[in-house]
Amino acid sequence: MTGEERKVIMASSAGTIFEWYDFYLYGSLAAIIGAQFFTAFPEATRNVFALLAFAAGFLVRPFGALVFGALGDLIGRKYTFLMTIMIMGLSTFLVGLLPGYSSWGAAAPIILIVLRMLQGLALGGEYGGAAVYVAEHAPANRRGYFTAFIQTTATLGLLLSLVVILAVQGYVNGNWDPSPVLDATGAAVMNPDGTAKMIKAFDLWGWRIPFLGSIVLLLISLYIRMQMNESPAFKKMKEEGAASKAPLREAFGPGRNALVLLIVPILFVGAIMTGTLSSSIAMILGIAFAVISVIWGWRNAKIATIALLGLVAGQAVVWYSGQFYALFFMQNVIKVDSFSANVFVAWSLILGTGGFIFFGSLSDRIGRKPIILAGCLIAAVTYQFVFPLLTKTANPALHAAQQTPITVTASPEDCSFQFNPTGTAKFTSSCDIAKATLARTSVNYESVEDPAATVAQVKIGETVIPAYDAAALTGDDLKAATAAFTKSVNDALTAAGYPISADANTTVARAQNFFDIFTGQKIAIILILTYLILLVTMVYGPIAAMLVELFPTRIRYSGLSLPYHIGNGWFGGLMPATAFAISAQTGNVYGGLWYPIVIAAATVVIGALLVPGNTHKKDIFADDAK
């Protein structure tokens, strides 16, 4: 690698790391931020809202891909880089300044989501430019190796965010005492035992420091971007007059094609999320959609569609399952404290990140397609075993308790779908209250339909506990019924072995500091998480080079950006919220894993049938002449 090639990679990678750092700060702190901005909602709904606000940044990424992709093909890669980093950096800084729900009411979460969407727009233009810029500088037989450095930036950005969070968290909590938790009315929130519920200083206000500190990274990133030269391939193309005058139309054909590319995945994902389509029917429709696009002959749009469904969709769900959902799962399902969960994930990232370079380089020799599809297949086959193993290892008491048979018996008309993205639904029936109470304790349960039941009943072991209808009660009666039911359930769960009190659970893994990992339990957790990261590196390491090789230079930025950001923004970004909602609805804490399993399996089928092979041998400049 020459000095100039190293400069290209370092300049592109450093700026992109900082941009991913900004974007993923929210994901790493989703649970804490949710408690600050969605305090008006119950805990289960609050967690879904926090993840949906995280997903909002992903939902708009394809639109950022369209806007900045076109600009990148029209005015160049460098100036598009400068615009995206400015939008990203300022949006992140403003999140750190934004008052919470208790100060600004409903305006606070609305502005938060707007800022997340601005971040998504910026990131929609960032990745494609970085991948194209490096690939156009890379030797023909080493594109996988060179672009693999860009692939590390998302993981390194996440790692940087975790390290900063851990450092700030340790300092703030070590120097400031916890404070009482207040509800929306300003009254103290009480624990079941009558003591005041406390919140750590970092969870209350310290989480803002990493967001505010991003202004320093913004200035560094701007300096780095200013030192970059334009891609020689783009300059040569402009000089020869071969640049596209309408890159979006040339990349995707008539407007209806891009519209279909945007709308169909929304309907596809939405159908799975809401249960409108079964997983098997959804897979069949996905394959049919890809086949129809080929028959219709969409030219470059055909390639974009195949790339989306045969490569990127599976890569996206594996990426987010192995990193973000694994972190969320540890914190909110397994009940590992956030500091320890961040430590374990950070070490897995350190151990596994080299896999990006390894698989990127390997793809230069054996091809991109077989590595990506193998990663999707292995993930689809093993997820249902890996996540229960993670529970058993990280929280043995919880795993043992989950073997106790627990049922919720209720009339089907009494039970609602627990996914509530608008926050307008009121879950007041006895069935809904019973399920929400169990979900907060990571309980595995089965639903039993009894049309004759007037009130839902929870059976824990041999103990039967009737729920209550909140709509029929008011005031003190409602508070008394809630307290009595919650206490009865917690007592029965405690008798069944559920560790209701996190502080009293001696089996759950805890890290006292960043280097407190040298016990058998903690090393096993890190190895399980590293396995998930290695699957991420298999699907993600070669993907940039693969996408670059599918489109000619004049529309490369636009062409690869849209399918990449639809796949990662919608299929991947919605993965945590969707999996959480499916788990809450089914009563199985592992039920949400079917979402990534089905999509990864569908990608393997579509990719094997329709994605071209041996693209690593292609001359990416051969089609530049008009």
Side-chain angles (χ1 to χ4, degrees), residues 164-175 202 339:
V164 171
I165 290 168
L166 289 170
V168 174
Q169 189 177 35
Y171 178 79
V172 170
N173 288 339
N175 290 275
F202 179 82
F339 179 85

Side-chain angles (χ1 to χ4, degrees), residues 229-373:
N229 296 315
E230 187 52 83
S231 161
F234 180 83
K235 288 194 295 185
K236 180 174 181 293
M237 182 182 64
K238 291 287 284 187
E239 292 168 357
E240 295 174 351
S244 174
K245 294 180 173 59
L248 292 182
R249 183 175 182 83
E250 187 174 348
F252 307 112
R256 68 176 184 273
N257 293 355
L259 189 64
V260 170
L261 280 172
L262 286 169
I263 291 178
V264 169
I266 294 178
L267 298 177
F268 181 75
V269 174
I272 297 177
M273 288 170 55
T274 60
T276 304
L277 294 179
S278 68
S279 58
S280 57
I281 294 177
M283 184 187 301
I284 293 171
L285 289 179
I287 297 173
F289 175 62
V291 172
I292 290 172
S293 71
V294 175
I295 297 174
W296 199 354
W298 283 356
R299 297 186 180 179
N300 287 316
K302 173 183 66 178
I303 299 299
T305 306
I306 293 174
L308 168 63
L309 298 177
L311 292 171
V312 183
Q315 166 261 303
V317 296
V318 173
W319 200 100
Y320 288 99
S321 297
Q323 295 191 152
F324 269 103
Y325 187 68
L327 179 61
F328 178 83
F329 184 84
M330 290 190 69
Q331 292 175 336
N332 294 276
V333 179
I334 305 180
K335 306 301 183 182
V336 176
D337 69 272
S338 62
F339 179 85
S340 299
N342 284 337
V343 167
F344 300 145
V345 171
W347 275 106
S348 72
L349 294 176
I350 292 172
L351 294 176
T353 296
F356 290 111
I357 308 300
F358 172 78
F359 288 112
S361 180
L362 181 63
S363 73
D364 286 328
R365 298 192 293 275
I366 69 172
R368 331 288 187 203
K369 173 179 170 178
I371 298 175
I372 296 171
L373 297 187

Side-chain angles (χ1 to χ4, degrees), residues 29 34 48 105 129 186 272 374 415 475:
L29 297 170
V48 174
I272 297 177
C415 301

Side-chain angles (χ1 to χ4, degrees), residues 1-53:
M1 189 182 295
T2 66
E4 180 63 24
E5 289 169 344
R6 281 194 297 271
K7 179 182 176 182
V8 167
I9 290 177
M10 291 180 63
S12 300
S13 300
T16 308
I17 287 173
F18 295 151
E19 194 149 355
W20 282 113
Y21 164 84
D22 287 348
F23 192 73
Y24 285 138
L25 271 181
Y26 182 94
S28 301
L29 297 170
I32 293 174
I33 294 175
Q36 295 292 320
F37 289 91
F38 303 102
T39 52
F41 307 107
E43 183 177 354
T45 305
R46 187 187 308 159
N47 285 336
V48 174
F49 275 8
L51 288 173
L52 284 175

Side-chain angles (χ1 to χ4, degrees), residues 411-591:
S411 170
E413 290 76 18
D414 196 35
C415 301
S416 305
F417 185 59
Q418 295 291 302
F419 188 57
N420 179 26
T422 63
T424 57
K426 301 295 183 182
F427 300 119
T428 58
S429 72
S430 61
C431 176
D432 295 338
I433 289 171
K435 289 186 175 183
T437 303
L438 295 176
R440 284 194 293 269
T441 321
S442 299
V443 173
N444 272 336
Y445 62 88
E446 293 184 4
S447 296
V448 177
E449 294 185 358
D450 182 2
T454 57
V455 176
Q457 291 185 334
V458 178
K459 184 177 182 181
I460 304 173
E462 298 301 321
T463 303
V464 178
I465 306 167
Y468 62 96
D469 187 354
L473 301 173
T474 58
D476 292 339
D477 292 338
L478 178 59
K479 291 181 179 179
T482 302
F485 177 70
T486 302
K487 184 178 185 304
S488 297
V489 170
N490 286 344
D491 288 346
L493 289 174
T494 300
Y498 273 90
I500 301 299
S501 174
D503 293 336
N505 184 3
T506 59
T507 70
V508 68
R510 290 187 177 90
Q512 301 302 318
N513 56 67
F514 189 75
F515 296 98
D516 181 21
I517 60 170
F518 297 103
T519 67
Q521 181 189 35
K522 296 168 190 175
I523 290 174
I525 292 170
I526 292 172
L527 290 177
I528 293 171
L529 293 173
T530 302
Y531 167 78
L532 294 174
I533 297 299
L534 289 176
L535 292 181
V536 170
T537 64
M538 284 187 70
V539 299
Y540 199 59
I543 196 75
M546 182 81 184
L547 293 175
V548 163
E549 290 157 357
L550 294 178
F551 296 93
T553 304
R554 61 183 179 273
I555 59 167
R556 184 168 291 137
Y557 203 145
S558 304
L560 74 85
S561 292
L562 184 60
Y564 176 84
H565 287 293
I566 289 177
N568 284 274
W570 292 347
F571 286 93
L574 288 173
M575 192 269 156
T578 305
F580 180 83
I582 292 173
S583 295
Q585 174 65 14
T586 61
N588 184 345
V589 296
Y590 309 110

Side-chain angles (χ1 to χ4, degrees), residues 52-405:
L52 284 175
F54 175 59
F58 291 90
L59 293 174
V60 300
R61 277 170 59 178
F63 300 97
L66 288 173
V67 173
F68 293 109
L71 288 174
D73 285 327
L74 288 170
I75 67 173
R77 307 354 180 177
K78 174 181 175 178
Y79 295 105
T80 307
F81 274 167
L82 293 173
M83 285 187 282
T84 59
I85 198 68
M86 279 291 294
I87 296 172
M88 175 66 77
L90 292 177
S91 299
T92 304
F93 179 74
L94 291 175
V95 170
L97 294 177
L98 183 64
Y101 190 93
S102 60
S103 300
W104 281 18
I110 292 173
I111 296 174
L112 174 69
I113 292 174
V114 170
L115 292 174
R116 285 291 300 163
M117 294 174 74
L118 286 174
Q119 287 183 320
L121 286 172
L123 194 58
E126 168 64 24
Y127 174 83
V132 168
Y133 188 81
V134 172
E136 290 178 350
H137 281 83
N141 62 342
R142 304 196 76 191
R143 281 191 298 269
Y145 174 67
F146 273 54
T147 56
F149 287 93
I150 293 298
Q151 301 309 92
T152 68
T153 59
T155 295
L156 292 176
L158 172 59
L159 177 60
L160 178 61
S161 71
L162 292 179
V163 170
V164 171
I165 290 168
L166 289 170
V168 174
Q169 189 177 35
Y171 178 79
V172 170
N173 288 339
N175 290 275
W176 281 269
D177 294 329
S179 304
V181 176
L182 304 179
D183 61 19
T185 65
V189 177
M190 309 303 289
N191 290 315
D193 61 3
T195 59
K197 189 174 184 179
M198 306 297 286
I199 183 172
K200 293 181 179 179
F202 179 82
D203 295 357
L204 183 62
W205 57 266
W207 63 268
R208 296 179 180 275
I209 296 175
F211 286 90
L212 296 174
S214 68
I215 196 70
V216 177
L217 299 181
L218 171 61
L219 296 176
I220 295 173
S221 299
L222 284 174
Y223 174 78
I224 291 173
R225 294 282 166 91
M226 291 295 292
Q227 309 308 307
M228 298 169 66
N229 296 315
E230 187 52 83
S231 161
F234 180 83
K235 288 194 295 185
K236 180 174 181 293
M237 182 182 64
K238 291 287 284 187
E239 292 168 357
E240 295 174 351
S244 174
K245 294 180 173 59
L248 292 182
R249 183 175 182 83
E250 187 174 348
F252 307 112
R256 68 176 184 273
N257 293 355
L259 189 64
V260 170
L261 280 172
L262 286 169
I263 291 178
V264 169
I266 294 178
L267 298 177
F268 181 75
V269 174
I272 297 177
M273 288 170 55
T274 60
T276 304
L277 294 179
S278 68
S279 58
S280 57
I281 294 177
M283 184 187 301
I284 293 171
L285 289 179
I287 297 173
F289 175 62
V291 172
I292 290 172
S293 71
V294 175
I295 297 174
W296 199 354
W298 283 356
R299 297 186 180 179
N300 287 316
K302 173 183 66 178
I303 299 299
T305 306
I306 293 174
L308 168 63
L309 298 177
L311 292 171
V312 183
Q315 166 261 303
V317 296
V318 173
W319 200 100
Y320 288 99
S321 297
Q323 295 191 152
F324 269 103
Y325 187 68
L327 179 61
F328 178 83
F329 184 84
M330 290 190 69
Q331 292 175 336
N332 294 276
V333 179
I334 305 180
K335 306 301 183 182
V336 176
D337 69 272
S338 62
F339 179 85
S340 299
N342 284 337
V343 167
F344 300 145
V345 171
W347 275 106
S348 72
L349 294 176
I350 292 172
L351 294 176
T353 296
F356 290 111
I357 308 300
F358 172 78
F359 288 112
S361 180
L362 181 63
S363 73
D364 286 328
R365 298 192 293 275
I366 69 172
R368 331 288 187 203
K369 173 179 170 178
I371 298 175
I372 296 171
L373 297 187
C376 290
L377 179 61
I378 295 171
V381 171
T382 62
Y383 273 174
Q384 283 288 354
F385 304 99
V386 172
F387 281 85
L389 178 61
L390 186 59
T391 303
K392 184 176 181 179
T393 305
N395 195 339
L398 176 62
H399 182 269
Q402 287 175 343
Q403 312 312 309
T404 301

